[in-house]
Amino acid sequence: MELKNIQSLENAGKKTSHELMRFGIALLFIVAVILYTFINYGHISFTLVVAAMIGGYMAMNIGANDVANNVGPAVGSRAMTMTTAIIIAAVFEAAGAIIAGGSVVTTIKGGIIDPNDIDDVETFVWLMMAALLAAAVWLNIATAIGAPVSTTHSIIGGVMGGGIAAAGWAIVNWGTIGQIAASWVISPLLGGAIAAGLLYLIKRTITYKSDMMDASRIMVPWLLALMGWAFGTYLMMKGVSQIYKVNFTSAILIGTLVAAIVYFVTRPLINRASRKNANNKDGVNQMFIIPLIFAAALLSFAHGSNDVANAVGPLAAIHEALTTHEAATGTKAAIPMWILVVGAIGIAIGLALYGPKLIKTVGTEITEIDQMRAYSIAMAAALTVILASQLGLPVSTTHVTIGAIFGVGFLREYLKANYKRMIAQIEEHHQGQDRQIVEAFIRKFDKASLSEKGRLLQELKAQSLENEPHLTKKERKGLKKVYRQELVKRSIMLKVVAAWVITVPATGLIAAGIFFAIRGFMIP
């Protein structure tokens, strides 16, 4: 008993030391940001030093929470290890933020409030600081409870709450808020539908065939070409467009060129792999490993270039207001390189220190993910953003990715239940026969293609027409509940959905409280 207690104390001590080490590294980063800002910009205003500190804190929370969506499915499918995923994501997130983080960034995210309604520069600065700190605190809370939430919606809620506290309800563009609320439903449903559709396509064209490797030689190069088109287009729209303006038509054409290259490069590689791999699902999954690594890198680059604005956008607005002594009434504010670097390094550090928890949640705790499912999820994320951008729908990549994971999980539930019902039919129609005959038929059924399965079931039904059914209608109805196997964890789903719904109001309330506290402290 004493030995067990000692072991428990040692484990607790190790856990505490790890937590202290992570906290220490995070604190060192914040101190470094404070010192750099104070040395270079302290003469402008000490407020900028405080704002930079909050911006660094926000960036770390984005890395800890939001980046998990880009690499979680790949880690969950074992296409890469946690360490590899963190290195790839950190490098490409930072590269995306610094290279394509936007020479300009929308100051008031999505037109949430009208800066012209702000009385003076000080009030505007307090509003932005309150919004930034509120979003960071909420992301910290969400990460602690293991809920992946939208950083974009977090900062939107912060700006809205701070704006209301500063100038009243009329400052908010309620039409935009309504669109954001609609995206809570649109984003996950669209992502889930696309992911489920792609996974079902793979099953129909590859894994439901008797010769999976023969089917793979035909289909996998086309699937990878589709991935090339989606990510080529996505990267043009969400990454390169931050450096050089690319219209949708040009992005589509570049994506098509990438797709053609991917198809002709991968076709001979897949042909060779199909002759080496086992003729089963594991063999098919092996063909998606390297593409998933590229997908994780490209998603991270695009995320870094696009979402770094959530960390440094308000900081850039504060910097501009304090240096020009005017509220940022324009729609955009230039981002100095040092602010971009703070955002990039903060995201990378937050990911490395606290990202594994959310990566595990996204990759393994919602539903079981293999490489084919991870491919469908990554593709759903890219295709949904492309489609939504053209339709003018506001979507969150976090909501899309998590919705795609749910979509894959629910499709698995449906297919599993459907398979069990078919096996029950076989068992029912073979009642009274030798068990070896039943098992032989089931083995034949399992190896058959989808069309052959249907034919075999029809033959069984035809043979049984003269006999009375062995199960009543009521008994069959009861069996449906038995066959239903939950492959999506409902507790995780409810926690995530609840966190999504309260993100904007929660950050709004926190921001309003922080704004009133700052104003009370600053006004003599």
Side-chain angles (χ1 to χ4, degrees):
M1 187 65 180
E2 290 180 1
L3 189 61
K4 287 182 179 179
N5 289 336
I6 293 170
Q7 187 77 37
S8 298
L9 287 171
E10 285 181 352
N11 292 336
K14 286 179 183 178
K15 188 175 180 180
T16 303
S17 64
H18 289 156
E19 287 296 327
L20 286 173
M21 185 182 70
R22 289 194 294 181
F23 178 76
I25 293 171
L27 189 60
L28 280 175
F29 169 70
I30 295 297
V31 170
V33 170
I34 292 171
L35 289 174
Y36 177 86
T37 314
F38 181 76
I39 291 168
N40 292 279
Y41 301 96
H43 64 282
I44 297 175
S45 171
F46 186 72
T47 303
L48 183 58
V49 178
V50 177
M53 175 188 71
I54 298 171
Y57 174 52
M58 173 65 171
M60 284 197 294
N61 280 291
I62 289 177
N65 192 290
D66 213 27
V67 179
N69 304 307
N70 302 326
V71 297
V75 172
S77 69
R78 296 177 295 282
M80 63 175 81
T81 63
M82 180 72 77
T83 303
T84 303
I86 289 172
I87 292 170
I88 288 174
V91 169
F92 281 89
E93 285 278 344
I98 294 171
I99 297 170
S103 55
V104 290
V105 63
T106 303
T107 301
I108 310 302
K109 191 76 179 176
I112 299 303
I113 63 172
D114 184 359
N116 292 304
D117 290 342
I118 306 298
D119 295 334
D120 54 57
V121 174
E122 279 191 342
T123 302
F124 178 80
V125 170
W126 299 344
L127 188 163
M128 288 292 108
M129 287 179 67
L132 197 55
L133 183 55
V137 168
W138 172 247
L139 284 174
N140 201 329
I141 293 169
T143 303
I145 64 173
V149 297
S150 169
T151 56
T152 303
H153 288 180
S154 299
I155 200 67
I156 284 171
V159 171
M160 181 189 76
I164 292 171
W169 296 91
I171 194 174
V172 178
N173 184 342
W174 293 106
T176 303
I177 296 297
Q179 289 182 325
I180 292 163
S183 77
W184 296 337
V185 178
I186 295 169
S187 298
L189 288 181
L190 201 54
I194 292 175
L198 284 168
L199 181 60
Y200 190 64
L201 174 68
I202 292 171
K203 289 181 174 295
R204 286 295 300 263
T205 57
I206 300 176
T207 61
Y208 285 169
K209 300 289 185 181
S210 53
D211 190 338
M212 295 185 194
M213 288 300 106
D214 186 53
S216 295
R217 282 191 285 275
I218 299 169
M219 280 303 300
V220 173
W222 286 109
L223 290 169
L224 298 185
L226 178 62
M227 176 179 264
W229 175 85
F231 281 103
T233 305
Y234 180 81
L235 204 59
M236 289 297 108
M237 293 171 60
K238 290 292 180 181
V240 177
S241 62
Q242 303 286 358
I243 306 171
Y244 178 79
K245 193 65 180 175
V246 180
N247 60 39
F248 183 69
T249 304
S250 299
I252 288 287
L253 290 173
I254 293 169
T256 304
L257 177 62
V258 172
I261 294 170
V262 168
Y263 178 80
F264 288 111
V265 168
T266 59
R267 189 170 65 171
L269 298 176
I270 295 300
N271 188 41
R272 284 200 294 271
S274 67
R275 300 184 190 286
K276 296 178 183 177
N277 294 356
N279 186 32
N280 54 32
K281 288 183 180 179
D282 289 336
V284 177
N285 273 320
Q286 291 296 314
M287 299 180 185
F288 289 95
I289 291 177
I290 293 176
L292 282 173
I293 295 172
F294 278 99
L298 292 174
L299 280 171
S300 296
F301 184 89
H303 180 270
S305 67
N306 196 57
D307 277 29
V308 71
N310 294 322
V312 300
L315 178 56
I318 293 168
H319 175 269
E320 184 184 47
L322 292 173
T323 53
T324 64
H325 303 290
E326 293 179 2
T329 55
T331 56
K332 296 179 182 292
I335 304 184
M337 180 52 72
W338 73 270
I339 292 180
L340 273 178
V341 171
V342 166
I345 296 176
I347 288 173
I349 290 174
L351 169 66
L353 296 179
Y354 298 102
K357 182 174 183 177
L358 264 294
I359 290 173
K360 185 180 177 183
T361 297
V362 172
T364 62
E365 292 182 359
I366 298 174
T367 191
E368 187 180 338
I369 298 174
D370 61 15
Q371 287 87 351
M372 286 181 282
R373 295 165 199 157
Y375 164 88
S376 303
I377 293 162
M379 282 293 297
L383 290 173
T384 302
V385 170
I386 293 168
L387 180 62
S389 297
Q390 279 310 104
L391 296 175
L393 298 172
V395 296
S396 162
T397 51
T398 299
H399 291 193
V400 170
T401 303
I402 301 301
I405 295 171
F406 285 141
V408 163
F410 285 127
L411 176 67
R412 291 180 61 222
E413 282 189 7
Y414 169 77
L415 294 176
K416 185 77 73 175
N418 197 44
Y419 175 78
K420 286 187 175 182
R421 279 193 291 270
M422 288 189 289
I423 294 298
Q425 273 189 304
I426 293 170
E427 295 274 7
E428 179 190 349
H429 290 303
H430 279 88
Q431 278 188 15
Q433 296 187 23
D434 188 274
R435 186 64 200 170
Q436 289 183 340
I437 297 174
V438 180
E439 289 177 355
F441 189 92
I442 291 174
R443 284 195 297 271
K444 181 181 177 183
F445 182 79
D446 284 338
K447 291 179 181 179
S449 65
L450 193 64
S451 58
E452 289 171 344
K453 281 183 170 69
R455 182 180 57 78
L456 289 171
L457 287 176
Q458 288 298 324
E459 288 177 359
L460 269 184
K461 289 178 182 178
Q463 291 170 10
S464 307
L465 281 177
E466 296 178 1
N467 302 323
E468 291 184 4
H470 298 286
L471 296 176
T472 66
K473 187 177 181 180
K474 186 178 180 180
E475 288 171 330
R476 282 201 182 98
K477 192 175 181 181
L479 278 174
K480 287 183 179 181
K481 294 179 182 178
V482 177
Y483 298 145
R484 185 179 175 185
Q485 183 179 353
E486 291 190 355
L487 301 177
V488 176
K489 290 185 181 176
R490 268 52 174 181
S491 59
I492 299 286
M493 183 179 74
L494 291 174
K495 180 172 69 173
V496 168
V497 171
W500 288 355
V501 171
I502 65 173
T503 289
V504 170
T507 50
L509 287 170
I510 296 170
I514 292 171
F515 176 83
F516 286 128
I518 293 173
R519 190 174 68 174
F521 178 75
M522 298 298 288
I523 295 175

